[in-house]
Amino acid sequence: MADEGHDLSEMSFEQALKALEDVVRRLEGGEVPLDESIDLYERGEKLRKHCQARLDAAQARIEKIVQGPDGKAAGTEPFDVG
């Protein structure tokens, strides 16, 4: 797999999602030997968790949007994901 050697923490959401789609496509194809299927499944689960963490962080940032007195967005506050 193209992204197999990349550290997940360095992957963008888009890269991780594409890698996850590749894993799913290979598993659904049914052409992969059992041992490799297990490895692919484990990789897919790590990628899924990485994507979910990125989505959760994005949602938290959106929720940090500051509303002005008129109820409209007036800016944002920094969000520390660490």
Side-chain angles (χ1 to χ4, degrees):
M1 279 183 298
D3 291 317
E4 204 167 322
H6 288 128
D7 180 9
L8 285 179
S9 65
E10 296 177 6
M11 293 178 82
S12 70
F13 172 80
E14 291 79 7
Q15 290 170 324
L17 184 59
K18 182 180 180 322
L20 179 56
E21 289 169 347
D22 290 343
V23 165
V24 170
R25 195 172 7 264
R26 291 183 67 192
L27 287 171
E28 287 180 342
E31 302 289 323
V32 182
L34 179 60
D35 288 342
E36 189 176 345
S37 292
I38 293 168
D39 292 342
L40 280 170
Y41 182 85
E42 290 172 346
R43 173 85 175 146
E45 184 59 19
K46 290 176 186 176
L47 289 163
R48 184 199 64 77
K49 287 179 181 178
H50 178 73
C51 287
Q52 188 62 55
R54 291 285 186 144
L55 288 173
D56 291 346
Q59 181 177 356
R61 288 181 66 195
I62 290 168
E63 290 173 357
K64 288 291 247 180
I65 294 175
V66 179
Q67 290 185 357
D70 59 359
K72 294 183 179 176
T76 60
E77 292 180 8
F79 178 77
D80 181 15
V81 293

